[in-house]
Amino acid sequence: MRILVLGTGGREHALLQGLSRDAQKNDALNTEGSNGEGSNTDGQNGASQAVAHELHVCPGNPGMENLATRHTDAGSADDAAAMVALAQKLQAELVVIGPEAPLVAGVADALREAGFAVFGPNKDAARIEGSKAFAKDVMAAAGVATARAEQITPGASEEEIARVLQNFGPNYVVKDDGLAGGKGVVVTQDYDEAVAHIHAVHEGGNPVLLESFLSGPEVSLFCLVDGEDVVPLLPAQDHKRAYDNDEGPNTGGMGAYTPLPWLPEDGVQRIVDEVCRPVAKELVARGCAYSGLLYAGLAWGEDGPAVVEFNCRFGDPETQAVLAMLQSPLAPALAACANGTLAELAPLEWHEGSAVTVVLAAQGYPANPRQGDRIVSEDIENAEKILHGGTSRESGEYYSNGGRVLNVIGTGADLDAAREAAYQTIGGIQMAGGFYRRDIGAKAARGEISI
């Protein structure tokens, strides 16, 4: 299948790596008894013959070049006209949109109108991430548990801000009611810090959402969604704070692990039944049926799962860990969503064990990441171990070119083994000023997380 992936970071590198594995997975399926007839390009019932996809990425990063053809001069992934032109030039059979900004901007709509199969929701459905107020309204109508919330619009007086804040706390949850790359949320017990974040968001022209604090361990669950059909992937847990022991500023994510040994046996099914399927049905009822990846970020409290946020795309860095565990071919699953045939997809199969991803961040991340530091690692081009988030290349050498520079992957028979593999690899990377958390998945491995 000829596939175009839009995006530039570690999530997109993970998607490309997952798609590149399809041929060997298909070979394994053939060995196990396939008759070798037919094709997997219809995205329905898995694969029956080995397929090496033709992969393209726009704009991508240098670490992806051994997996896909990069298109760095085709325009921005947010530019609908440019992406339609690129897809037409390539005669793409499937377009996979990685980041949220193109989805919220309506790039998927333009591609579909031009006749392309697209993995990613339309502009109206993408408001589930693009507008937290819209997401709250959908959840209320669908009867989904979430935090109570109140909006403060730009231009609000100090008195109005103080009045709303009095209804919340002592843990203030202050959210940018717009796209903020995973870094638009402040959770603090400091009243002045909460006020400062409100002003900062208002200066950017966005409303602010104040929410009640949800207690309990956090869960990230990705679901493939095609209208009212919902297929969950493995649950994961992200680590948002910059430093060990959940200290420091909020980031886009410093690491993740999957699956969750502390989650109840029926945990995934409860999330699907109580959260994802009701939301999918509500979006259908509103005339903006969802097609793509619905990401539910939840807190599991005394009464079960409650939604912290929704995202309209694969999460970063959870995707890196989750896709490392996927045993089924990836392309048929993505194509099934795009083609409206998810109900016909064979059940997804997963490797036994665990996966961990650890982010190597640049000095100064998240506030002011430094760029241009040389990266040295014998595994720098081994996508089974290292996925690139923000890198550049010059004269064969790699350099930092973003806040979250690399994503190191470790897999193993259990969480301890996966952590050991990831930290062994990241320990061999040299990058001046680079830092990473040393406790990704540690509490779960020690049995310190419970419900």
Side-chain angles (χ1 to χ4, degrees):
M1 191 185 306
R2 189 176 304 107
I3 303 172
L4 170 61
V5 175
L6 305 185
T8 186
R11 165 187 47 225
E12 289 75 35
H13 199 174
L15 287 164
L16 289 168
Q17 174 65 2
L19 292 166
S20 74
R21 293 190 188 111
D22 279 6
Q24 60 192 26
K25 291 175 180 176
N26 292 338
D27 280 332
L29 289 173
N30 293 338
T31 302
E32 292 170 6
S34 170
N35 61 15
E37 297 176 358
S39 168
N40 74 330
T41 55
D42 61 1
Q44 295 183 19
N45 292 311
S48 57
Q49 62 180 6
V51 174
H53 305 299
E54 179 184 324
L55 301 178
H56 299 262
V57 62
C58 177
N61 67 52
M64 303 175 185
E65 290 177 359
N66 60 348
L67 297 176
T69 301
R70 288 181 69 197
H71 299 271
T72 59
D73 57 355
S76 169
D78 301 350
D79 186 333
M83 292 306 96
V84 168
L86 177 60
Q88 290 172 333
K89 176 183 176 181
L90 298 175
Q91 296 183 324
E93 296 170 88
L94 176 66
V95 182
V96 179
I97 302 178
E100 61 273 23
L103 294 167
V104 173
V107 172
D109 304 64
L111 285 162
R112 287 192 178 98
E113 288 172 6
F116 294 99
V118 182
F119 181 83
N122 59 46
K123 182 177 182 178
D124 281 347
R127 288 182 293 164
I128 201 76
E129 177 172 2
S131 169
K132 294 175 179 63
F134 173 78
K136 289 292 185 184
D137 187 59
V138 169
M139 284 185 276
V144 171
T146 187
R148 63 182 178 85
E150 190 168 347
Q151 189 182 70
I152 308 176
T153 57
S157 66
E158 295 299 321
E159 291 76 12
E160 175 68 8
I161 291 173
R163 182 194 66 76
V164 176
L165 281 170
Q166 286 177 358
N167 296 327
F168 296 88
N171 292 298
Y172 299 103
V173 181
V174 187
K175 294 186 175 183
D176 185 335
D177 190 18
L179 297 182
K183 298 184 286 291
V185 181
V186 164
V187 181
T188 181
Q189 293 184 341
D190 187 321
Y191 181 91
D192 291 336
E193 184 181 1
V195 172
H197 189 60
I198 291 171
H199 289 315
V201 173
H202 283 172
E203 287 174 5
N206 285 340
V208 165
L209 213 63
L210 265 291
E211 289 189 354
S212 58
F213 181 76
L214 294 174
S215 61
E218 293 193 4
V219 182
S220 297
L221 184 67
F222 301 162
C223 289
L224 302 174
V225 178
D226 168 20
E228 295 187 10
D229 292 316
V230 176
V231 175
L233 308 189
L234 289 182
Q237 187 178 63
D238 187 12
H239 294 60
K240 281 291 188 183
R241 297 288 182 171
Y243 311 127
D244 287 1
N245 301 313
D246 292 324
E247 297 179 355
N250 197 50
T251 74
M254 293 296 294
Y257 66 95
T258 187
L260 309 181
W262 47 267
L263 194 67
E265 187 174 346
D266 65 344
V268 168
Q269 193 60 50
R270 280 195 63 183
I271 295 170
V272 170
D273 292 342
E274 298 175 21
V275 175
C276 299
R277 188 166 286 122
V279 165
K281 289 183 177 180
E282 175 62 21
L283 291 173
V284 170
R286 292 177 180 228
C288 52
Y290 203 94
S291 173
L293 195 288
L294 182 64
Y295 166 173
L298 313 109
W300 197 291
E302 294 181 357
D303 298 325
V307 175
V308 175
E309 65 176 354
F310 281 111
N311 291 326
C312 62
R313 36 70 188 184
F314 278 101
D316 188 341
E318 298 100 319
T319 301
Q320 289 85 311
V322 170
L323 292 187
M325 297 298 292
L326 181 63
Q327 188 170 354
S328 301
L330 177 59
L334 304 183
C337 283
N339 296 328
T341 58
L342 187 61
E344 303 170 30
L345 183 72
L348 296 178
E349 297 182 1
W350 302 91
H351 295 291
E352 296 291 333
S354 297
V356 171
T357 182
V358 181
V359 171
L360 177 65
Q363 179 175 312
Y365 178 77
N368 187 28
R370 189 174 73 187
Q371 299 185 8
D373 289 303
R374 182 168 173 254
I375 307 166
V376 178
S377 168
E378 64 180 16
D379 295 312
I380 192 67
E381 294 184 342
N382 181 356
E384 294 288 346
K385 292 185 176 182
I386 296 177
L387 299 171
H388 291 229
T391 61
S392 61
R393 188 171 60 196
E394 183 177 345
S395 302
E397 302 286 349
Y398 288 90
Y399 297 87
S400 62
N401 190 37
R404 293 185 292 174
V405 181
L406 298 175
N407 303 263
V408 174
I409 310 298
T411 59
D414 55 26
L415 192 48
D416 282 321
R419 294 187 73 251
E420 182 179 358
Y423 282 107
Q424 182 176 3
T425 299
I426 204 168
I429 301 173
Q430 302 174 42
M431 187 183 81
F435 71 95
Y436 57 91
R437 284 185 58 161
R438 290 168 168 79
D439 63 346
I440 303 300
K443 289 182 179 180
R446 294 193 298 260
E448 297 176 3
I449 301 177
S450 61
I451 294 175

